Amino acid sequence: MFSASNPNNDVYVTQNTPSDSISSLTFSPVSNHVAVTSWSKEVIVYEYQLNNATVPSRFKTTLAAPVLCSAFSSDGQTLFSAGCDNTATAIRLATQQTSPVAKHDAPIKEAFYVNELNCLLTGSWDKTLRYWDVRAPTGQAQSVVQAPDRVYCMDQRDRLVVVGCADRKFAIYDIRKLTQAYRTIEGNNSPLKFQTRCVSSFPDLTGFAIGSIEGRVAIHHVDQQQTNKNFAFKCHRHENEVFAVNAISFNPQHSTFATAGSDGSYAFWDKDSRMRLKNFGRAPQSITAAKFNPAGTVFAYGLSYDWSKGADHYDKSKPNFLALHWVG
């Protein structure tokens, strides 16, 4: 039995865990529930209580293909999960009933429930964003927006949608004007030199942070008049080793944010003062997903192998599990 070291004394949820790597984490907007999706096709919903080490699972299901993302409805009663079968599935948590609500021509990498429009927003490797009316699903998207390339990462916060694509391309959208991008950034103008891995928008919607496979994060502003505030910095590097930044998440209550990487560590940062607030110890597995809860009091992260070193370094004796850090 694998015994995981716990350098930060966080809560490790080692019961009822997914059998393959964790692909995403999503918090309910109204309750203490966090959904975990996995390459094992599993979707697991856990219930947490602040400062309580017991985190039971409340729901678990297996879908038709590896699940890459999920999003809660505004009332927290439905979880939308999507992935490699090109389909988004609505899961009614009270009844455990499932039904398809969205379809792409390639795997769906990202999904968000847009409260302002009462719709589901999905981004896919088919190079499109699509908006779906999940209250009366017809199988036809309300709107289809062409992305610059395959969607690798995305964040939606209020009216701001930021999409990171293949070849380091980016697009910025305003959900009030769905048909075209407010601004696009071509790969040769990207602040990062290597493949984009993750993105997170500022809580005040003035910009976003992007992370790459080269252990680097860039702070970028939406308004081109604020380019003097853009900067990039190195992180998740140890001596001569460079690790991918797999996740970035802004604390919804502050301008601080967290990064998490293939090295198994996470750190808290303040973008305004351009400084690292705290660096945390390295866990025995890569961190493949991470996110703050809506209140900013819990930082959740998934410990799994991210395959960055190939099959030769895969150790099936190491479990895949959720970890929770209470933010003081």
Side-chain angles (χ1 to χ4, degrees), residues 127-131 143-147 173 178-181:
K127 304 181 184 180
T128 67
L129 308 180
R130 304 188 187 193
Y131 297 82
S143 179
V144 178
V145 180
Q146 197 68 32
Y173 299 87
L178 304 178
T179 56
Q180 61 182 4

Side-chain angles (χ1 to χ4, degrees), residues 13 23 87 144 187 190 200 239 266:
V13 184
S23 55
T87 301
V144 178
S190 170
S200 183
E239 297 180 352
Y266 59 96

Side-chain angles (χ1 to χ4, degrees), residues 136 149 291:
D149 212 311
K291 189 165 287 188

Side-chain angles (χ1 to χ4, degrees), residues 286-306:
S286 297
I287 298 177
T288 53
K291 189 165 287 188
F292 282 103
N293 72 330
T297 55
V298 179
F299 178 68
Y301 56 98
L303 289 165
S304 305
Y305 184 48
D306 67 355

Side-chain angles (χ1 to χ4, degrees), residues 1 61 90 108 114 126 134 149 171 178 187 211 218 228 234 238 252 277 290:
M1 181 68 180
T61 191
I108 299 173
V114 183
D126 67 7
V134 296
D149 212 311
L178 304 178
N228 61 313
K234 299 175 183 178
H238 303 276
L277 300 176

Side-chain angles (χ1 to χ4, degrees), residues 248-271:
I248 300 175
S249 180
F250 272 88
N251 188 313
Q253 307 303 319
H254 307 285
S255 63
T256 56
F257 65 97
T259 62
S262 292
D263 58 341
S265 76
Y266 59 96
F268 292 169
W269 309 82
D270 186 328
K271 69 174 179 63

Side-chain angles (χ1 to χ4, degrees), residues 27 42 146 154 166 168 170 181 201-202 220 235 242:
F27 279 98
E42 294 168 294
Q146 197 68 32
M154 184 165 70
R168 297 179 295 133
F170 268 86
S201 302
F202 300 171
H220 212 79
C235 55
V242 178

Side-chain angles (χ1 to χ4, degrees), residues 5 50 123 128 140 149 183 188 194 198 208 246 263 267 317:
S5 63
L50 201 61
T128 67
Q140 296 294 322
D149 212 311
R183 182 181 165 201
N188 57 352
F194 293 91
C198 52
F208 52 92
N246 286 334
D263 58 341
S317 70

